[in-house]
Structure formats: structure tokens, C-alpha cells
């Protein structure tokens, strides 16, 4: 097993070990009955005391994640290994130093019919037929498009139209030469991390945070410092306290209808974050995946990038979620030498994103189709949000939430006695899934949360699935 320990962190070493083992168990990277290293072996490997490892193992045992067999060792709690497991031809792989410490996507690998785990739009609300027709026309006109690599920076026509769109709808003055097309926002986050960070660098994230972004930073060996949110977004007072003690390289924020909480960061808060970046010389990743999906005319403030004068903000605008997840198209806006660094890393990462999917977006951005589509999509998702709020509101005992002003998600705080992962296992038996809150935290949260994405199901299935979810939560509260 590979652990990433930060001995300078305020989090005790035994707790860091505990959290990383729990993440492996919950992510499916450690199986029932698997034996943990001995106290001495793990202590020697990590260069810590045996007492530290013993405390971590004791925590795991107390929380029910492991059991101890006298004279044999410590094992992941679960059923005894079958003969087939004991002779598993792939068992040797467990001894390797795997870089994947955690992944939110392992939690719901087996899809359920009533799926609240994915922040993805119901397919019939997307212009898939139009996009398919456009791609067919392009291929009939120029089949050689499939025989060539797209430009590393991205299709020039798309960059020009994307710059116009960002000017019209985000108030950003963008030179197309400062845009880099990525295969979705997720690749953009990974590209920035690979370009700017080295193991041990300090990265500040919101708490809770988009889980897949946390995955990127953790699995690259970063020192993550979570900063809690209030109703306006990440708290700058706490951020400044951290900056005075640490030297962060990067801050990741999701300011417009934050994933998972739905929080909308105020303009004043955006300006304050940029002032701190200028004062302490760190970059900000501004992830704008949900800013177009606002309800009740709660139009988000201008992006942080709008106020950026010195190249501190790297702005990511995703189009996959609102047009077609299968296209995987996003724009990255960066200025200064960092753009050339990002370009170079993108070149050896994938030699350029697929050209045909970039061309497919052009008809939408060149006409008023995008504006009309987004208006309809906002209306449909607002109805789904209202349905979700109405049904979840029936859970009056200890379940709380804030009504999101946009985005795809409802963030539920559950009673203290409910384990989100155990709740998920119960829900799966009724063909329901959601995202357990711990996937959105760097460390195990003190309180239980779950994220319910209301965007993926049809109106009818949404109601049925939510009623099933409420029933599971109520049953958990009575057992």
C-alpha cells in the first residue's frame, strides 16, 4: 500500500493513516478479509512509531472497519475469503504501490435505475439528435477528419466562437490565443495539477469539495488543506489564516452553484479571493461547470477571472454537462507564461482533443441555439429541483438542506447516527443510488451528508426514486 503522509500537517499521523485506509475500503481498493501489514512492517515503511500505527488500527477496529485475529493479524471486516479468493491469480497486485488512493467513481461503479449519484442531465433534455446530425454532415463532407490529429490548442474556429460566447454571457474579454480546449473540465483540472504541482505542494480546496478534484490532488501526492464554506462560499478569513502559515501553490474553487452544496459565491467574496491570490502569489482554478444553470433569475456574478489583472486565475468552462457529456468539450482560459506551460503538458498528454467533437459544438455557439437550449434546460431542471425539495422536505426528523439557486445537486445533512455508506448499501437494494458525503471531503467529516443529483432522471422516475430514498432514510432512522 502507498500512503501519502504530511508530517507538518495539523492532522495527526495516525488519523491520516486511518483516513486513507478507510478511503481504500470505501472505494473498493481493499477487499473483505484482506490482511493489513503488521504494526512493525507499516511503521518501518512509513518511518513512524509502532504506537502511531497501533492507534490507527485501533480506530479502524473501533469504527468496525477491521477485526483482529490473535496471533494472525488485522483484517478488513467482512466475510471469510473463499477458496477462489485465496487462489486469486491477481492477488499479487495488492502488494504493489498503487498511486490511486481514492476515487469517488468507485463508490457507484454498478449503476442503479434510480440514479442520484451522477451530476448529469437527463438525455432527452439534451440536443443529442441535432449534434449527431451535425457530426454526420461533417463526416460526409470531410472523412479525413478522422485520419488527423486535432490541434494541441484546440480547433481555432471553436476557440473564436467560445471567446465570443464568454464575452456575451460571462463578461470575459478573451483572446482566442489564450484558450486551450480540453476533454472536459476534469482533464483541465488534471492538466493544471500536472503542470503546476509537485508532490508535497500545498493545495487549498473547499470543504466539502467536488470529489473528483480532490481525487486528482490526493493521487498526485499533494498536501490538501480544506477550508469550510458559509452561505457565500469559501471563507476568506480562514483562507488568509492558512496563507500566513503555509505557502499554497493553488486554490480550487467551484463558485457558481458549487458542487456538491449548490452554494453561489457572492461577487464580494470573489474579489476577496483574488486579493488574497495577489497578496500571497498563488493560482486559482475557477471551475465554472454549472454557472449557466441558474433558477429564479439568480444570475451568478461575473467570474473571478473577470477581475483578474495579473494571471492568477485559470478559468475552466465546461460545455459537456449542458450539451452532451459524450462530447467532453471544455475551454481553459489562462494568461502569461502559465499558458505556454499548460500547452506543452497538453501536447504530451494527448496530442490534442478529438476534432470532430469540437466541430460539433460550433453550430450551437454560432447561432442562438445555445441560448434557447439553456433557457429550456434551466426551466426543466428548476422543476426537478422543486420536486426534489418538496419530496425531501417530508423528512422532518434531522434532515436539513439549503434550497440551491442553480446547478444539479441537493446537499443533505443527515442525523448523526446514520452512516452514509451503510445507507447507500441499503438504498442499492431498492435500486437507488446517491453520492455519500465523505467522497466530497479530504478527511472524514464530523457529520453525515449525502449528495442527491436531481438532473439525471425523468420526471416520473425522479418522483418514484425520491420516495424510495426517503423510505430508506426513514428506515435507517428507526433501526
Amino acid at each position: 500500500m502507498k500512503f501519502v503522509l504530511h508530517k507538518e500537517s495539523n492532522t495527526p499521523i495516525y488519523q491520516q493513516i486511518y483516513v486513507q485506509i478507510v478511503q481504500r475500503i470505501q472505494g473498493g481498493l481493499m477487499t473483505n478479509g484482506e490482511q493489513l501489514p503488521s504494526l512493525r512492517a507499516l511503521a518501518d515503511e512509513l518511518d513512524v512509531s509502532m504506537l502511531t500505527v497501533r492507534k490507527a488500527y485501533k480506530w479502524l477496529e473501533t469504527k468496525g472497519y477491521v477485526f483482529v485475529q490473535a496471533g494472525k493479524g488485522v483484517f478488513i471486516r467482512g466475510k471469510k475469503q473463499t477458496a477462489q479468493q485465496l487462489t486469486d491469480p491477481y492477488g499479487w497486485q495488492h502488494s504493489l504501490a498503487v498511486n490511486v488512493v481514492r476515487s469517488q467513481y468507485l463508490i457507484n461503479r454498478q449503476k442503479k435505475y434510480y440514479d442520484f449519484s451522477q451530476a448529469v442531465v437527463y438525455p432527452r433534455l439534451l440536443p443529442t439528435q441535432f449534434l449527431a446530425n451535425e457530426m454526420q454532415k461533417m463526416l460526409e463532407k470531410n472523412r479525413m477528419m478522422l485520419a488527423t490529429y486535432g490541434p494541441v490548442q484546440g480547433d481555432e474556429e471553436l476557440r473564436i466562437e467560445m471567446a465570443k460566447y464568454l464575452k456575451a454571457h460571462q463578461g470575459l474579454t478573451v483572446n482566442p490565443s489564450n484558450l486551450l480546449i480540453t476533454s472536459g473540465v476534469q482533464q483541465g483540472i488534471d492538466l493544471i495539477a500536472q503542470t503546476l504541482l509537485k508532490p508535497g505542494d500545498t493545495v487549498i480546496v473547499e470543504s466539502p469539495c467536488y470529489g473528483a478534484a480532490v481525487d486528482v490532488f490526493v493521487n498526485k501526492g499533494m498536501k490538501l488543506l480544506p477550508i469550510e464554506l458559509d452561505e457565500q462560499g469559501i471563507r476568506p478569513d480562514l483562507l488568509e489564516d492558512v496563507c500566513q502559515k503555509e505557502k499554497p501553490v493553488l486554490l480550487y474553487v467551484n463558485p457558481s452553484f458549487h458542487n456538491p452544496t449548490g452554494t453561489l459565491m457572492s461577487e464580494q467574496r470573489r474579489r476577496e479571493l483574488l486579493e488574497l491570490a495577489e497578496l500571497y502569489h498563488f493560482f486559482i482554478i475557477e471551475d465554472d461547470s454549472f454557472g449557466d444553470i441558474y433558477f429564479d433569475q439568480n444570475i451568478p456574478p461575473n467570474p473571478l477571472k473577470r477581475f483578474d489583472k495579473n494571471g492568477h486565475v485559470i478559468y475552466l468552462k465546461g460545455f459537456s454537462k449542458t450539451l452532451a457529456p459524450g462530447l467532453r468539450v471544455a475551454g481553459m482560459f489562462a494568461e502569461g507564461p502559465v499558458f505556454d506551460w499548460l500547452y506543452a503538458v497538453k501536447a504530451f498528454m494527448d496530442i490534442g482533443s478529438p476534432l470532430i467533437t469540437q466541430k460539433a459544438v460550433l453550430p450551437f455557439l454560432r447561432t442562438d441555439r445555445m441560448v434557447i437550449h439553456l433557457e429550456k434546460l434551466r426551466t426543466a431542471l428548476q422543476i426537478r429541483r422543486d420536486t426534489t425539495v418538496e419530496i425531501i422536505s417530508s423528512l422532518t426528523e434531522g434532515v436539513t438542506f439549503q434550497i440551491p439557486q442553480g446547478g444539479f445537486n441537493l446537499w443533505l445533512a443527515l442525523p448523526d447516527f446514520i452512516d452514509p455508506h451503510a445507507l447507500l448499501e441499503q438504498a442499492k437494494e431498492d435500486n437507488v443510488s446517491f453520492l455519500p458525503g465523505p467522497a466530497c471531503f479530504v478527511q472524514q467529516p464530523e457529520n453525515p451528508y449525502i449528495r442527491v443529483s436531481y438532473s439525471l432522471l425523468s420526471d416520473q422516475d425522479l418522483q418514484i426514486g425520491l420516495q424510495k430514498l426517503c423510505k430508506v432514510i426513514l428506515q435507517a432512522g428507526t433501526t
Side-chain angles (χ1 to χ4, degrees), residues 122 125 380 383-384 387 454 457-465:
Y122 179 53
L125 296 177
I383 292 172
R384 282 165 168 76
T387 298
Y454 46 76
L457 297 178
S458 69
D459 291 329
Q460 181 178 2
D461 286 341
L462 178 70
Q463 295 183 43
I464 296 172

Side-chain angles (χ1 to χ4, degrees), residues 433-464:
S433 62
F434 55 80
L435 185 67
C440 302
F441 289 89
V442 176
Q443 301 165 353
Q444 196 76 4
E446 294 183 1
N447 301 310
Y449 299 93
I450 64 173
R451 190 194 74 181
V452 175
S453 298
Y454 46 76
S455 56
L456 181 56
L457 297 178
S458 69
D459 291 329
Q460 181 178 2
D461 286 341
L462 178 70
Q463 295 183 43
I464 296 172

Side-chain angles (χ1 to χ4, degrees), residues 322-339:
T322 52
L323 283 181
L327 290 182
R328 309 301 299 139
V329 173
M332 178 188 292
F333 177 27
E335 298 167 296
V338 69
F339 181 86

